[in-house]
Amino acid sequence: MWTIKQRLNATIHTPQGYQSSFADKLLSKIAGSPEHWAMARALSSRLESDDIVFCNSEAGGIQLATLCGFKRNRPKIVVFFHNIDRPRGRLALKLFNLANKIDLFLACSNHQVTFLRDYLNLPASRVQFVWEQTDLKFFAPSPVSPKKSRPMIASVGLEQRDYKTLAEATANLDVDVKISGYSSDALVLKRAFPEKLPDNMSRQFYEWPELVQLYQNADIIVVSVFESNCGAGIQALMEAMACRRPVIVTRTLGLDQYIAGTNAVMMVKPQDVEGLRQAIIYLLNNPQEADALAERGYRLALSRHDSEQYVNYVTKELKQFEEGVITQESYQTVI
């Protein structure tokens, strides 16, 4: 977002610091948080037809489009959708008439693109696919830490994560399994993790430099997720490939576009304990093949997941709205 801000001389808005009302709290039962509604209410009062707004998530985008949509001189609005195909998302799209209030829908999953086009009866030109991106300068190959004493499996994230399957698959292997996943939501943790972690598995919060080192130290990165259509695990997948580590990933509807036909990762079925176990053993016993897999993943990350490519695409789409009426100073971005 900061690169987009600099490229377009835009203003960035975040929901922090806005005072929510009773109405904001009621609306948050349908979509987003009270703070997002409060921010949207404040911004909608001053945005005009010569403004262009890019929202990098439906959390913020739905609220702003809804309230700005009541204005005759509403701004142009572009929203990036990550996981809208679920009950509350479907309700919000129709209840708030977002098909007529958002000018361009972006999504990083083909399933989400198809869903938006079909559900809202939109032309292909108004719903477009964009490859998800990561910072390839930050997540990059680096030497392994000399402190490592035995093979290490790493896994990152909590969204739709299935660490129970990973725990079962590795419990009796001579490996360390390290998880970067923290949440204050007990239900999320209960679904993701077994009641008791195996002796060789640990979970903790990693600061950004430590997280990169975790990737770099890993002999294998496992992206173990439940079946989903929202692309859960994409970020960890890209970061692992960018660090040039071999990846085993659960093949889901949401991830299929990122992994099918690439020959850059090893795939297993959802909740397939034995399949995951055998994939891990195979890569540990065949280091040359694991290294070749890592190299293919790294080349794939370089070719399509660079942040610069994402920024170029988004700024190009936003600039299409400025012809004749928009000045650079009128760009806004909402996080």
Side-chain angles (χ1 to χ4, degrees), residues 205-236:
F205 172 77
Y206 289 82
E207 297 288 352
W208 286 109
E210 297 172 324
L211 180 64
V212 175
Q213 193 64 58
L214 177 69
Y215 278 119
Q216 294 163 344
N217 283 352
D219 292 88
I220 303 169
I221 306 294
V222 175
V223 183
S224 181
V225 294
F226 294 108
E227 179 61 75
S228 71
N229 55 32
C230 68
I234 289 176
Q235 201 65 44

Side-chain angles (χ1 to χ4, degrees), residues 56-74:
N56 71 344
S57 172
E58 56 263 45
I62 287 175
Q63 295 76 17
L64 191 69
T66 297
L67 298 184
C68 286
F70 292 111
K71 303 179 64 166
R72 293 182 61 184
N73 61 336
R74 72 171 182 84

Side-chain angles (χ1 to χ4, degrees), residues 59-125:
I62 287 175
Q63 295 76 17
L64 191 69
T66 297
L67 298 184
C68 286
F70 292 111
K71 303 179 64 166
R72 293 182 61 184
N73 61 336
R74 72 171 182 84
K76 297 291 185 182
I77 296 178
V78 178
V79 181
F80 197 115
F81 286 87
H82 297 269
N83 185 16
I84 194 64
D85 183 14
R86 47 186 175 172
R88 288 211 308 170
R90 288 170 173 259
L91 174 62
L93 287 171
K94 287 294 179 71
L95 180 64
F96 299 136
N97 191 26
L98 294 178
N100 294 316
K101 296 178 179 179
I102 295 174
D103 298 278
L104 179 62
F105 296 74
L106 302 177
C108 59
S109 157
N110 258 349
H111 174 83
Q112 301 292 317
V113 168
T114 302
F115 163 72
L116 285 165
R117 288 175 181 170
D118 293 347
Y119 189 65
L120 298 179
N121 193 28
L122 294 171
S125 61

Side-chain angles (χ1 to χ4, degrees), residues 8 14 37 47 53 59 69-70 75 103 111 125 136 139 184 187 202 204 238 241 247-248 261 306 314 321:
L8 296 174
T14 64
W37 284 103
L47 292 171
V53 184
F70 292 111
D103 298 278
H111 174 83
S125 61
L136 297 182
F139 292 100
S184 57
L187 292 178
S202 62
Q204 70 177 75
M238 293 186 302
M241 291 192 301
V247 180
I248 300 172
D306 187 5
V314 171
F321 289 113

Side-chain angles (χ1 to χ4, degrees), residues 188-208:
V188 170
L189 295 177
K190 183 177 181 180
R191 184 172 189 241
F193 291 94
E195 287 188 16
K196 183 179 185 303
L197 296 183
D199 291 340
N200 65 344
M201 177 180 275
S202 62
R203 176 180 70 89
Q204 70 177 75
F205 172 77
Y206 289 82
E207 297 288 352
W208 286 109

Side-chain angles (χ1 to χ4, degrees), residues 89-305:
R90 288 170 173 259
L91 174 62
L93 287 171
K94 287 294 179 71
L95 180 64
F96 299 136
N97 191 26
L98 294 178
N100 294 316
K101 296 178 179 179
I102 295 174
D103 298 278
L104 179 62
F105 296 74
L106 302 177
C108 59
S109 157
N110 258 349
H111 174 83
Q112 301 292 317
V113 168
T114 302
F115 163 72
L116 285 165
R117 288 175 181 170
D118 293 347
Y119 189 65
L120 298 179
N121 193 28
L122 294 171
S125 61
R126 288 190 56 202
V127 188
Q128 298 182 22
F129 170 80
V130 186
W131 288 114
E132 190 57 280
Q133 53 83 32
T134 194
D135 186 347
L136 297 182
K137 294 179 181 177
F138 185 74
F139 292 100
S142 183
V144 174
S145 170
K147 296 180 181 179
K148 194 172 74 167
S149 58
R150 64 175 178 171
M152 191 259 282
I153 311 298
S155 197
V156 176
L158 277 179
E159 183 186 18
Q160 297 290 331
R161 292 309 196 270
D162 177 17
Y163 292 126
K164 293 178 182 178
T165 294
L166 178 59
E168 288 185 55
T170 57
N172 297 318
L173 298 182
D174 185 24
V175 297
D176 290 317
V177 182
K178 298 188 178 183
I179 311 296
S180 172
Y182 173 81
S183 175
S184 57
D185 189 330
L187 292 178
V188 170
L189 295 177
K190 183 177 181 180
R191 184 172 189 241
F193 291 94
E195 287 188 16
K196 183 179 185 303
L197 296 183
D199 291 340
N200 65 344
M201 177 180 275
S202 62
R203 176 180 70 89
Q204 70 177 75
F205 172 77
Y206 289 82
E207 297 288 352
W208 286 109
E210 297 172 324
L211 180 64
V212 175
Q213 193 64 58
L214 177 69
Y215 278 119
Q216 294 163 344
N217 283 352
D219 292 88
I220 303 169
I221 306 294
V222 175
V223 183
S224 181
V225 294
F226 294 108
E227 179 61 75
S228 71
N229 55 32
C230 68
I234 289 176
Q235 201 65 44
L237 173 65
M238 293 186 302
E239 291 167 359
M241 291 192 301
C243 289
R244 200 185 174 281
R245 306 315 302 143
V247 180
I248 300 172
V249 60
T250 308
R251 185 168 188 172
T252 66
L253 182 62
L255 285 175
D256 195 62
Q257 185 175 5
Y258 285 75
I259 59 180
T262 65
N263 199 27
V265 299
M266 186 170 285
M267 293 174 278
V268 295
K269 297 177 182 178
Q271 296 178 276
D272 183 359
V273 173
E274 187 56 27
L276 178 56
R277 176 184 171 85
Q278 291 305 318
I280 290 171
I281 292 172
Y282 180 83
L283 289 181
L284 291 177
N285 289 340
N286 295 274
Q288 288 186 330
E289 291 192 37
D291 188 67
L293 188 71
E295 177 65 18
R296 292 194 294 272
Y298 178 58
R299 294 300 167 189
L300 185 65
L302 293 178
S303 68
R304 75 182 187 193
H305 296 305

